[in-house]
């Protein structure tokens, strides 16, 4: 409920009114994190995982890239607020932070298209 | 209707199933175009304009940037399929291509959140 209120207050939508400089700077960082095919595929694998989380050991085999490279991409997604992670024993597990994708979907939605306010 | 069907067919959503390499490459280009604060502000000014289009002469005064720099950013937004433009006499006029922002909003929406299928 709090998240919902915050979203209503903070983000009238990219398409409804000109963005301020600060808001544009914050959003640009998130879109930049999405502006890479490997990061998009990683985010998609994490978000679509049954059970809501995925071991890094199940992510790396899908790519022809080194573990440090994958870790770097995951770090950028995490810094953008799109995912979070936790180490358990040998492996790190990742999950989606849906508040951020909800926020992006919201600001890309045309005014009046499904909005309640 | 056709657009709706296309969207349903082509884009099951970033969050619903792992993205393929080709789809990820295409989407990454669009997100990369959004990954810059000046381009986000330009897109927002274009999209929120009453009447649906805006003269480049009304865009440049909002930025402390040269006309060629603004034109370069607009070109990247256009190449990403987010806006289109037309020259009329002295000035170029820009407008939003809402199909692309609709597509991005759709793929960032969680499965089951408002989907009809």
């Amino acid at each position: 409920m709090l998240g919902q209120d915050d979203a209503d207050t903070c983000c009238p939508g990219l398409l409804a009114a000109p963005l301020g400089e600060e808001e544009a700077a914050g959003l640009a960082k998130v879109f930049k994190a999405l502006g890479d095919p490997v990061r998009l595929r990683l985010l998609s694998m994490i978000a679509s995982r049954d059970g809501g989380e995925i071991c890094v050991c199940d992510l790396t085999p899908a790519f022809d890239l080194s573990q440090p490279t994958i870790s770097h991409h995951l770090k950028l997604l995490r810094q953008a607020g799109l995912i979070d992670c936790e180490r358990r024993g040998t492996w790190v597990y990742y999950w989606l932070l849906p508040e951020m994708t909800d926020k992006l979907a919201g600001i890309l939605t045309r005014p009046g298209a499904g909005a309640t306010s």
Side-chain angles (χ1 to χ4, degrees), chain A residues 48-90:
Chain A
S48 62
R49 182 70 165 193
D50 280 342
E53 60 176 37
I54 187 165
C55 174
V56 68
C57 58
D58 291 324
L59 290 170
T60 41
F63 300 88
D64 193 18
L65 295 168
S66 70
Q67 173 64 50
T69 299
I70 296 290
S71 291
H72 175 69
H73 284 303
L74 289 167
K75 186 180 167 187
L76 293 179
L77 289 172
R78 198 156 55 84
Q79 287 175 339
L82 287 158
I83 59 171
D84 203 355
C85 69
E86 184 179 78
R87 175 175 289 280
R88 287 182 217 139
T90 310

